[in-house]
Amino acid sequence: MSTYSFFSASKPWFRALADKAQPVDTGLGSVLVADARQRLTRAELAGLAAKVRATAVLDDISDRRLAATHAYYTPLPQVVELSWQGSSCLVRMGWEWSLLGFDPAHYRQKENRSGETQLIVTMGGSDPKDFTRLALRALMGVTTPLQARFVIGPNFVDPGALAKEIEAAGFEVLHDAADLAAEFARADLALISFGVTAYEMAALGVPALYLALSKDHARSASAFCQAGMGDIVAPDPNSIASALGKLILDGERRQAMSKIGRSLIDGKGAERIAAELAAALV
């Protein structure tokens, strides 16, 4: 049997890929995997690529991608526009290549017997634009019944004061949750700051409303909207309240969004990538 050795400059992706490829040795080996967080130049990546049999980049829109043999992306507008002129890289683009930190198959949405929509609000680890308080003000304008849980990230400013405000409004606070995916899976609907969480909610079958931190985030979120997994909402309380109210009352649309998310992002992206890279060594 062939032995496949994976080296990655990015440990999280290395673990995700290595877990899906057997057998796997440690150290510099046959496949180099780097993601967009690495600060390698195109020349540096090309130098490393010369030492291995296959080189893959993940979600990388810099010019170093042109030195890779394989590239993997989700179908965001910024990716669709990329030029690959002068490169022989094999480019894979689709929702099936999404990478998650958990297996959505391990989480089943629980039946909601309360009669009230279960909403989860999560704005990332630091919430630099204070979207959590914005969401709290918006919920004051929602007249349809709902139960809301607010996730307070590890790098929030003055999380204690924020938690008191949320609880005073009659909502639940989640701080230092051991398993956020399990908390997400309990929800009927999510209000989130667009980012990795959008992929996670979709994979768990939770329709989402996206608040964008930047124009670039808004462009990325548009791909999720066009696919039918969520909606972008303007960052003001009235717009948020209106969007929430409409989706709470439209159970049929939420069910359709849930099915689309689970079908498009199934959590097997790392497995697919590992299998294709292993096949490249044969």
Side-chain angles (χ1 to χ4, degrees), residues 121 169 220 255:
V121 179
S220 297
Q255 185 176 24

Side-chain angles (χ1 to χ4, degrees), residues 10-46:
S10 178
K11 291 182 180 179
W13 292 135
F14 169 70
R15 289 196 297 269
L17 293 171
D19 287 346
K20 301 298 183 181
Q22 297 295 333
V24 176
D25 291 339
T26 57
L28 183 61
S30 299
V31 176
L32 167 68
V33 181
D35 71 47
R37 290 171 292 184
Q38 301 307 313
R39 296 183 178 180
L40 297 172
T41 66
R42 179 180 178 181
E44 288 170 338
L45 184 59

Side-chain angles (χ1 to χ4, degrees), residues 146-171:
L146 65 81
Q147 294 180 4
R149 291 173 296 135
F150 284 73
V151 178
I152 294 183
N155 299 313
F156 275 36
V157 175
D158 199 356
L162 178 59
K164 289 180 180 179
E165 291 177 38
I166 293 169
E167 291 170 344
F171 302 120

Side-chain angles (χ1 to χ4, degrees), residues 24-211:
V24 176
D25 291 339
T26 57
L28 183 61
S30 299
V31 176
L32 167 68
V33 181
D35 71 47
R37 290 171 292 184
Q38 301 307 313
R39 296 183 178 180
L40 297 172
T41 66
R42 179 180 178 181
E44 288 170 338
L45 184 59
L48 289 171
K51 301 177 183 180
V52 296
R53 293 175 61 188
T55 304
V57 293
L58 310 172
D59 297 323
D60 193 336
I61 62 173
S62 73
D63 67 347
R64 64 174 165 253
R65 63 193 159 79
L66 301 173
T69 59
H70 297 71
Y72 300 93
Y73 302 92
T74 50
L76 306 183
Q78 301 92 321
V79 174
V80 174
E81 296 169 356
L82 291 176
S83 170
W84 293 89
Q85 186 175 359
S87 174
S88 58
C89 182
L90 175 63
V91 182
R92 299 296 194 192
M93 181 168 54
W95 296 111
E96 67 270 25
W97 304 107
S98 300
L99 291 167
L100 302 174
F102 60 86
D103 184 351
H106 292 165
Y107 300 91
R108 300 288 183 183
Q109 280 189 302
K110 296 181 180 179
E111 183 180 356
N112 180 4
R113 298 181 179 180
S114 70
E116 296 184 341
T117 299
Q118 302 293 311
L119 173 71
I120 190 149
V121 179
T122 177
M123 302 301 175
S126 60
D127 192 12
K129 290 195 174 181
D130 205 16
F131 280 162
T132 303
R133 279 192 173 86
L134 176 67
L136 182 59
R137 293 198 300 273
L139 292 193
M140 299 298 100
V142 177
T143 57
T144 47
L146 65 81
Q147 294 180 4
R149 291 173 296 135
F150 284 73
V151 178
I152 294 183
N155 299 313
F156 275 36
V157 175
D158 199 356
L162 178 59
K164 289 180 180 179
E165 291 177 38
I166 293 169
E167 291 170 344
F171 302 120
E172 183 180 349
V173 172
L174 296 174
H175 197 191
D176 297 326
D179 188 350
L180 271 179
E183 299 294 343
F184 294 167
R186 290 177 52 197
D188 300 309
L189 180 61
L191 175 59
I192 68 174
S193 174
F194 180 82
V196 174
T197 310
Y199 293 86
E200 295 171 342
M201 293 297 181
L204 293 167
V206 181
L209 293 176
Y210 312 123
L211 293 171

